[in-house]
Amino acid sequence: MSENHEPHTGSCRCGQTRMEVTAPALITMACHCDGCRKMTSSAFSLSAMVPAEAFRVVGEEPVKGGLRGPQLDHYFCPHCMSWMFTRIVGMDALVNVRASLFDTRDWATPFIETMTSEKLDWATTPAVHSYPAFPPMEDFQSLMTEYAGR
């Protein structure tokens, strides 16, 4: 992101629901879990964790879909049903946006990969860190610091 924090923008497939983020990503991830693979119809999902205060939806209001609470909610465009972002209960200050929907392509490069215990044997990513499950919460601060310094 540029130093003046111009918004990063992205959209669903049909373009009726757009997103803006006015802060740098805190970390980027690839998740290999069965749920993400099924929701994306792909080998893994790509996300960028961003501060909630720097995130906004423009255009059509997204709808909840896929997995819904009590731990997390997935949000989709009501028209084309593209999976756009996820909010995790108890982590209200953060939003996980689908990184590949953004016009800024470098957000799609995963810094960490999670749930590798469920990954397809042939799936590989350029992630710097790899976890068989989700990283322990106590690791996130050091991971985000390392990501910011790259």
Side-chain angles (χ1 to χ4, degrees), residues 64-106:
K64 289 182 185 180
L67 187 61
R68 299 174 186 97
Q71 297 172 328
L72 46 88
D73 291 309
H74 299 299
Y75 291 85
F76 294 77
C77 168
H79 297 281
C80 67
M81 300 308 291
S82 295
W83 178 22
M84 300 188 71
F85 62 94
T86 301
R87 293 186 183 271
I88 302 170
V89 173
M91 296 180 74
D92 299 335
L94 304 169
V95 178
N96 281 337
V97 296
R98 301 281 66 80
S100 55
L101 297 179
F102 278 79
D103 303 328
T104 306
R105 293 180 179 239
D106 61 341

Side-chain angles (χ1 to χ4, degrees), residues 111-131:
F111 183 70
I112 66 171
E113 62 181 345
T114 64
M115 299 303 292
T116 59
S117 63
E118 297 181 17
K119 79 180 188 99
L120 299 174
D121 291 340
W122 54 265
T124 60
T125 76
V128 176
H129 299 280
S130 186
Y131 293 87

